[in-house]
Amino acid sequence: MQRILITSALPYINGIKHLGNLIGSQLPADLYARYMRAKGHEVAFICATDEHGTPAELAAIENKISTEEYCSEMWKVQKDLSEQFFLSFDFFGRSSSASNHELTKLFALNLDKNGLLKKVEERQLYSGEDKRFLPDRYVIGTCPGCSYERARGDQCENCTRQLEASELINPRSVLSHSEDLELIKTSHLYLMQSKLKDKLLAWIESNKNWPILTTSIAKKWLMDGEGLQDRSITRDLDWGIPVEKEGRPWEGMENKVFYVWFDAPIAYISSTVDWAISRKEHPDYWKSWWLDDHGAKDVHYVQFMAKDNIPFHTLSFPATLLGTDQSWKLVDYIKGFNWLTYEGGKFSTSQKRGVFMNQALDLFPSDYWRWWLLSNAPESSDADFTWKSFQACINKDLADVLGNFVSRLTKFTLSKFGKTIPGGTQYSKEEYNTISEIEKIFKRYDDAMTRIEIRKATSNLRKIWSIGNEYLQRSQPWMMIKTDEAEAAKVIRFGFNLMFFFSEISEPFIPETSIKVKNCLGKLNNKLQWPSFKKDFNSIFERVETGEEFKPIENLFKKIDDSQALDLEKRFEGTAN
RNA sequence: GGGGGGUUAGCUCAGUUGGUUAGAGCAGAGCGCUCAUAACGCUUUGGUCACAGGUUCGAGUCCUGUACCCCCUACCA
């Protein structure tokens, strides 16, 4: 048994996430967590909402409530949605928690003690009307390069020139449109990442098994141009973790907060602390997951995230950890994802384009989404969501292959034998051949799951399901029953064992369906045990026994017809096209 | 400008350290079955592996160049 720490990128508090966000980190992380638990490993699967920063403040203003209230409400919404998607977090915390405040300040203190923080004076645009400093993106003005009038403070959309907000001609606030902006001197703390460059490089290079996507992004940031840049870790905002040192305001940093990107990843740790507290563990328990000198050496730590998050998880956060000179656990494997697009374009929150988590659940059960998203996970390149693909995938894989297997088996049995699993003859060559064929594919499936090769895993799982239909087709119990009832009964008994096996090995992908099938078999309380290759594989198919009763079951999946698919396509195409 | 990824059957994608007739699923065609959500099974038609060179006994797989697509480029999260 191994101890596995799994974190998925923290969803930002501002609004309900769409399918692209879901497949980008939380869903694949859940798949892996469920798999590892089933294998008997000790898993800590941690996530939290990322709550600080300007967008949260603005969203709260829009909703006419305080930022604290807004975040509390949205945390609840996101937590509920994650539960409805059967995301099996051991703890879903908040980056605004007391423990994160405490830990974030502690990290800053330790980094400062090691001489890795410096104070830098800079000038930033302040909006009198909005009463706040404006991040670059919240300033628009005329581009000094091409005279485009709506250039953003970070980049001109028209000529793609990189800009400083202070370069803009006639700058104005995106929020209030006020032109009453002035450059004000302000100081910020910078994390001197450049000093940690060699350590980071050595660490990155020691991780030989990382995916290319991860390593190439990390090295690019590390080596490109002047190398790794120092970055500020504080902001002039109200909402955030106050910059304090040992309980007192940090000199020169009064009324400032830590930058979200500094405190957010620390929430992986503080959420583990909060998890331990909620379980009434020993106060040092969380350290066994996070500090090598407290037992975390044998922990295997895997992070899941979309590719835009990779620089922060390969450089900034590790720099924060390494810079303390304490034995913090560094990530062992990063599973990065590309983007999910929607009908050939981008998912867009502002244009209401695409499908969001709450809408998705109003339309179909979570397993439909889990299955499509996981079998189309953007692993090697971007993937495109289309209703046509969704329809074909659900109808074929779930309804026809898996759903219909369960349906034909249970209905046939009900009509010929009733609700009791019949006995019949002993398994013969036909059954043992089927088992060994399953074992072969199952090994590939298991291997893909271990390596987190999600698409490969789905195709093998699907193949295993179809072996069930192949078996029934070969055995033809509907013919057999006319001449040899005992033989037909044997086929049924084996069929039910296949069904039980399917429900268990499919659980990481479609947990809700798995529960339905186990309930049908009266095996709801059986703890999920991943089939082992060490024991006799044949015995796995002896667990549904003669005389046991099953409950008739509704069709597991409804098909999506053409008109419904077309209708959905129209309904979700968005407001701007 | 710099960097990364991609381009393989109508569609979505696999193709391990270069090695014999390039694979899967879906869609298409034919046959079979009738237990089942007109579902299932079997068989089968599709590819000058983006293009042009090069290395090699041999390249989808390595090198160079070209074309097209997507993404990243730091104080947005």
Side-chain angles (χ1 to χ4, degrees), chain A residues 284-295:
Chain A
D284 279 349
Y285 171 75
W286 67 272
K287 292 180 184 171
S288 74
W289 289 98
W290 281 102
L291 284 158
D292 282 351
D293 58 11
H294 282 73

Side-chain angles (χ1 to χ4, degrees), chain A residues 328-343:
Chain A
W328 291 104
K329 181 81 201 166
L330 292 170
V331 65
D332 293 301
Y333 188 78
I334 293 178
K335 178 74 181 178
F337 289 88
N338 291 283
W339 305 120
L340 182 69
T341 54
Y342 178 81
E343 298 282 359

Side-chain angles (χ1 to χ4, degrees), chain A residues 279-438:
Chain A
R279 301 206 318 177
K280 300 190 170 62
E281 296 282 355
H282 185 276
D284 279 349
Y285 171 75
W286 67 272
K287 292 180 184 171
S288 74
W289 289 98
W290 281 102
L291 284 158
D292 282 351
D293 58 11
H294 282 73
K297 257 206 164 73
D298 67 332
V299 170
H300 183 65
Y301 179 21
V302 181
Q303 291 177 341
F304 290 80
M305 71 200 64
K307 59 186 172 185
D308 57 330
N309 266 322
I310 289 176
F312 299 100
H313 288 79
T314 51
L315 302 168
S316 306
F317 184 44
T320 303
L321 299 175
L322 286 168
T324 60
D325 283 332
Q326 293 166 318
S327 66
W328 291 104
K329 181 81 201 166
L330 292 170
V331 65
D332 293 301
Y333 188 78
I334 293 178
K335 178 74 181 178
F337 289 88
N338 291 283
W339 305 120
L340 182 69
T341 54
Y342 178 81
E343 298 282 359
K346 286 184 179 175
F347 273 87
S348 165
T349 307
S350 58
Q351 293 176 15
K352 298 189 171 70
R353 188 162 193 280
V355 185
F356 292 76
M357 282 170 77
N358 55 342
Q359 301 171 321
L361 290 169
D362 288 341
L363 296 170
F364 300 104
S366 63
D367 282 354
Y368 286 46
W369 299 104
R370 291 177 64 106
W371 180 254
W372 187 89
L373 289 167
L374 290 166
S375 48
N376 292 279
E379 287 181 292
S380 57
S381 61
D382 292 353
D384 190 32
F385 176 89
T386 65
W387 286 105
K388 216 175 167 182
S389 159
F390 182 73
Q391 180 197 9
C393 174
I394 298 309
N395 288 356
K396 198 69 207 170
D397 294 354
L398 294 185
D400 291 349
V401 177
L402 178 61
N404 189 48
F405 171 77
V406 170
S407 171
R408 67 197 295 202
L409 180 68
T410 52
K411 284 179 185 165
F412 177 75
T413 307
L414 206 57
S415 71
K416 304 296 178 188
F417 296 95
K419 291 183 197 169
T420 308
I421 307 292
T425 55
Q426 294 299 303
Y427 290 163
S428 59
K429 205 175 155 193
E430 189 63 55
E431 286 70 38
Y432 291 121
N433 284 346
T434 302
I435 290 172
S436 66
E437 199 190 343
I438 286 177

Side-chain angles (χ1 to χ4, degrees), chain A residues 107-136:
Chain A
F107 267 102
L109 177 70
N110 288 331
L111 290 168
D112 190 45
K113 277 182 183 166
N114 287 339
L116 290 168
L117 296 186
K118 65 178 175 189
K119 207 176 286 179
V120 175
E121 191 173 272
E122 53 193 39
R123 279 144 47 104
Q124 263 211 301
L125 281 171
Y126 182 84
S127 165
E129 173 99 21
D130 299 300
K131 294 189 177 59
R132 62 170 65 234
F133 283 92
L134 295 176
D136 290 349

Side-chain angles (χ1 to χ4, degrees), chain A residues 231-269:
Chain A
R231 59 202 318 271
S232 70
I233 59 164
T234 55
R235 287 291 180 277
D236 289 295
L237 287 178
D238 296 327
W239 176 235
I241 296 175
V243 184
E244 291 172 355
K245 189 191 269 185
E246 292 170 318
R248 289 185 300 277
W250 197 301
E251 201 192 323
M253 293 291 133
E254 293 82 3
N255 301 318
K256 296 178 197 287
V257 298
F258 286 105
Y259 177 41
V260 278
W261 261 114
F262 184 68
D263 77 68
I266 294 172
Y268 292 143
I269 306 172

